[in-house]
Amino acid sequence: MAKKTVRDLKLKGKKVLVRVDFNVPIQNGNITDDNRIVQAIPTLKYILDQGGRAIVFSHLGRVKTEEDKASKSLKVVSERLEELLGKEVKFVPVTRGSELEVAISNLKDGEILMFENTRFEDLDGNKESKNNPELGKYWASLGDVFVNDAFGTAHRAHASNVGIASNIKDSVAGFLLEKEIKFIGGAVDNPKRPFVAILGGAKVSDKISVIENLLEKADKVIIGGGMAYTFLNAQGYDIGTSLFEADKVELAKNLLEKGKGKIILPVDFAFTDKFEDKAPTHVGPITDIKEGEMSLDIGPKTLELFAKEIKNAKTVVWNGPMGVFEMDNYRKGTIGVCEALANLKDAITIVGGGDSAAAAIQFGYEDKITHISTGGGASLEYLEGKVLPGVAALSDK
Ligand code: AMP
């Protein structure tokens, strides 16, 4: 990797600004999934073990009004972080000013504080989200070095990542960011072959650039999930009331032409007449679909076909579920793909963030997959081949 990492810095006695992505789901004041906090622990432990003074910050949700502040406070997150670290985390309930500055000057080597949601600054002219130059400069002035470990935000140029990095000499990647770049960047730029990409999820329109980029890079592109039906329609099939984007049919035709021999589509399906969690009425090829029916999952023959392709792979990248995995009766396809990835012995398997990452974790495959990304939008943009501004702004090796 061409960017400096936290290992390249001397941290003892330094005020270390650490941008993490603690944008975790919170319901009734309780964190329902702390994976992003857990994933940041190695970087934070390393900084503290080296004698750094960690100043940690993150965004949490969107802050549009004063009233949003109560439900978007990072206090509860700092408490969870304290539990996970087994160490006091001083929480500073502001994003700037003397209270924060005094707390930072009181920090000793190996101590950590966390300040309030960076998006509180959005109340005053979207300063954080619009990368206000004064704000980035101010935050940069609070530390000696900057460690960015927030992969989930790396596709955005905000004051708390790009703004700080542009105003501080040493801006480096934390271990999580390094891992994301190594696996996703490595797969896209320099994959071990055969390289199989698996794409699913609801819409073609969300993933056009990903499909286009991976059609160029991968040896095979498997398409499942809701987006498959626009492709099947483009091939002339009746797809009933399955998910469909009429304005993407021409694009699907072009992609099928361009990806001849490379694109693999499902061959059987789980049909139903209502978008409800009841057993499929029948399973079969698309030509079996009856009037008023839709398909909410791929069928067993498709799974066999996909598994055969996956079996040969040395690199697999997967983004997007194969069916409506939120319902018990339509998760077989998504679980089947998890299983096919888990069965690979000598391959790098990567699951892009968002729904497929949540599914792989929910179905118990976390330890059997090489890398599950913590970034939904960021991993998609990375797979599209885009430069992520949060990464580009870091110091080169
Ligand atoms: P995405 O965010 O684009 O990855 O899409 C994920 C969503 O696609 C999930 O909520 C799935 O329920 C949905 N999905 C996958 N397959 C289908 C399908 N056959 N019909 C309707 N929705 C689907």
Side-chain angles (χ1 to χ4, degrees), residues 91-105:
F91 181 68
V92 185
V94 291
T95 51
R96 62 163 83 212
S98 59
E99 186 177 355
L100 176 59
E101 290 154 25
V102 169
I104 291 173
S105 65

Side-chain angles (χ1 to χ4, degrees), residues 3-182:
K3 295 292 176 188
K4 282 192 182 165
T5 76
V6 66
R7 274 186 228 93
D8 295 313
L9 297 183
K10 286 215 164 53
L11 298 168
K12 186 156 176 53
K14 296 268 171 65
K15 289 176 280 178
V16 186
L17 297 163
V18 196
R19 174 51 156 113
V20 288
D21 188 336
F22 286 172
N23 186 28
V24 292
I26 297 178
Q27 268 166 21
N28 305 320
N30 295 312
I31 297 168
T32 53
D33 177 358
D34 66 0
N35 185 40
R36 285 183 159 172
I37 312 177
V38 172
Q39 298 276 346
I41 297 296
T43 300
L44 296 175
K45 276 215 161 117
Y46 179 82
I47 293 167
L48 300 175
D49 287 350
Q50 298 286 311
R53 305 170 180 195
I55 303 150
V56 179
F57 48 98
S58 171
H59 73 290
L60 176 64
R62 295 224 162 98
V63 183
K64 299 255 176 253
T65 62
E66 276 295 326
E67 291 70 56
D68 289 340
K69 281 177 150 182
S71 64
K72 296 293 181 301
S73 170
L74 278 173
K75 178 138 197 345
V76 57
V77 176
S78 75
E79 287 161 3
R80 184 79 192 103
L81 177 62
E82 190 165 81
E83 280 167 28
L84 289 166
L85 272 177
K87 189 173 189 101
E88 189 197 351
V89 176
K90 185 177 167 43
F91 181 68
V92 185
V94 291
T95 51
R96 62 163 83 212
S98 59
E99 186 177 355
L100 176 59
E101 290 154 25
V102 169
I104 291 173
S105 65
N106 286 339
L107 269 185
K108 297 195 180 64
D109 293 1
E111 288 186 352
I112 174 168
L113 69 74
M114 184 163 158
F115 69 77
E116 193 45 287
N117 186 351
T118 55
R119 289 212 179 139
F120 280 20
E121 292 283 344
D122 279 349
L123 279 178
D124 181 15
N126 287 321
K127 285 197 166 122
E128 154 72 327
S129 299
K130 293 225 161 111
N131 190 10
N132 174 282
E134 178 272 327
L135 183 59
K137 202 168 170 188
Y138 170 71
W139 278 335
S141 76
L142 300 175
D144 301 313
V145 295
F146 176 46
V147 177
N148 188 357
D149 216 14
F151 178 72
T153 333
H155 58 315
R156 305 273 180 244
H158 288 174
S160 62
N161 57 356
V162 172
I164 296 177
S166 333
N167 283 289
I168 211 161
K169 188 174 147 271
D170 286 316
S171 296
V172 303
F175 296 130
L176 177 59
L177 195 71
E178 182 190 26
K179 199 162 91 178
E180 298 272 11
I181 295 169
K182 177 178 150 195

